[in-house]
Structures are given as structure tokens and as C-alpha cells.
Amino acid sequence: MTGLQMVIVLAAVVAVATEIASVLTRDSSWVDRIWSIVPVLSLWVFAGSADWDARVVLVAVLVTLWGARLTFNFARKGGYRGVEDYRWPILRARMRPWQYQLFQIGFINGYQNVLLVLITVPAVTMTEHPRPLGVADVLLAVLFLAFLAGETIADQQQWEFHRRKAAATRDGRTLTPGFLTTGLWRSSRHPNFFCEQGQWWVVFAFGAVAAGSPWQWTAIGAVLLTLLFIGSTVFTESITASKYPEYAEYQRRTSMIVPWPPRRAVRQPVG
């Protein structure tokens, strides 16, 4: 069995398991709980099947760092304690039960598990084009680590903001605005999303370097991930805008995903 076949079998087992768990618990966040784990396992499967090719092992190590960071951030927010993503109950309320069940099977537990395979398939390109590591690989590794650091900083800033917001609420105060606009969030409304997508485009680039050409079918994973993030961002922002009227002004001033200087200074949160 090839590495790709083993990864596909792993994804199929996980997809069935997450669907069963979602039905039994009425909690659609099981894919979220395995999101940072399955790609790590897949990359190491690819590394083993490639006889521990240096490039595939390097990418597996980098993705392991990605997975460890994301798992930690998800865990501290209560993701492994049965806290469901706040967006799923909203969608559940907007759909008929049978419609939501189809959505859960087809998108949440189906499509997203397929996507977890597709973002790792650049390892197939690396396996098919083994060549010694070079300067380009070093530069890509540094870029991956830069994106990893950026996402870590963005998530930490968001974590600290929500802690301040919770403390203000306990004291009977209101933090204004009720969303983060400082730090990395001053130049992008979702700097963590930008860095997350950037890391998987770098994984694709490792495969392109190995093949000696960017025209590889394995770009499909990074492309679909980007489209998923765009759609998710639009939906998430519609929820935020409905809660905070001033969010529209923040949207006008600040780039959605790609960091860019704001049109003018964003008001600092006080409280």
C-alpha cells in the first residue's frame, strides 16, 4: 500500500468516526478536534513510505510544530472539553434537521476530512521527485516558521483580549470595542487566518521545488483551503457585525486577511 493510499484510508476512518461522534453527542466540532492531529499523522505516513526522504521529513517536522501549536491553542479555549464551535448552533437553527444532517455529513465531516488529505498531498510530489535539500528548501522552512510565529502571536493577542473582555464583564464593565483591533489585528482582521493559509502554501511550495515546477496538481489542497477560509471568514464576520454595529467601520478601515496598513488609526479598546 502506498503512502497516499494509507493516508486516504486514515481519512476515511476518521471521517466515519467524527460523523458517528457528532450524531451521538449532537456536537459538530469533532472535526475541529482532529484538525491539528490528522495532517501530522499523514505527513509522517508519507515520510515513512518515502524511505525517510529528507525533504518529506523536514516538512513532517514543520507540520508537527504547526499541529502542536494549534492543538495547544484549541485546548486552552476548551475545544477538548466539549465546547462546540459557536457557528454550528447558528447554522443548525437556520436549517431543518434533515438539511443540517446532510450538511454535517457532506461538508463538516466529509469535505473537511477530504481537505485534510489534500493539504498534505504535496508530499506525493516530493516522493516522486527525490532530490537533495537546497537553498530554496531552507528559505521555505524559514518562511514556514515565520508564518508559524505570526499565527502564534495573533492567537496569543486574541487570547489575552478575550481574557480582558471576560474580566471586564465580571466587573460590570464593557470593553469597547468588543472585538480586537490592536497588534497584528490592526493591519488584518484575521492575521491568524493569513498565517495559517501561508503555511500550507509553503508546504505546496516544497513539492513544487522538488518537482522543479509550480504547475503541480497538488496545489488543489492549498487552493481549497484558501476558499474555505474565505467562506468561513465571511460567515464569521456576518455574525460579528450583527453583534457590534461598529464592526462595519473596522471592516472599512482594515484588510480582511492579507496584512495591510489601515486606512487610518483604529480606536484602541478601553475598559
Side-chain angles (χ1 to χ4, degrees), residues 42-202:
S42 297
L43 260 302
W44 284 111
V45 168
F46 279 124
S49 68
D51 293 326
W52 310 107
D53 174 81
R55 182 173 288 100
V56 183
V57 170
L58 172 60
V59 172
V61 170
L62 293 173
V63 171
T64 299
L65 295 176
W66 163 87
R69 191 216 66 81
L70 190 58
T71 300
F72 165 75
N73 192 59
F74 187 72
R76 68 175 175 177
K77 294 190 294 185
Y80 296 108
R81 298 197 302 271
V83 177
E84 187 179 36
D85 188 308
Y86 71 94
R87 293 169 295 186
W88 300 140
I90 293 174
L91 280 177
R92 192 181 291 121
R94 294 179 180 178
M95 297 180 180
R96 296 179 184 273
W98 66 268
Q99 291 174 325
Y100 185 79
Q101 187 57 50
L102 289 178
F103 175 76
Q104 180 173 274
I105 294 172
F107 176 76
I108 299 177
N109 295 314
Y111 175 76
Q112 291 195 91
N113 273 296
V114 171
L115 185 56
L116 290 179
V117 173
L118 293 176
I119 60 176
T120 63
V121 294
V124 174
T125 308
M126 301 175 218
T127 302
E128 293 174 345
H129 301 86
R131 63 170 61 183
L133 293 173
V135 174
D137 297 288
V138 174
L139 294 176
L140 286 173
V142 171
L143 182 58
F144 185 100
L145 293 174
F147 281 130
L148 180 66
E151 190 172 18
T152 301
I153 293 169
D155 280 343
Q156 182 62 29
Q157 289 173 345
Q158 188 177 55
W159 171 256
E160 292 172 354
F161 171 80
H162 283 293
R163 292 184 66 182
R164 294 196 304 272
K165 186 176 179 180
T169 301
R170 288 194 300 268
D171 295 340
R173 297 179 292 112
T174 300
L175 204 63
T176 304
F179 48 88
L180 183 57
T181 62
T182 58
L184 296 182
W185 302 78
R186 184 174 183 273
S187 59
S188 168
R189 304 199 298 272
H190 303 279
N192 50 346
F193 291 177
F194 172 74
C195 292
E196 172 75 9
Q197 294 169 69
Q199 288 167 94
W200 289 106
W201 277 105
V202 170

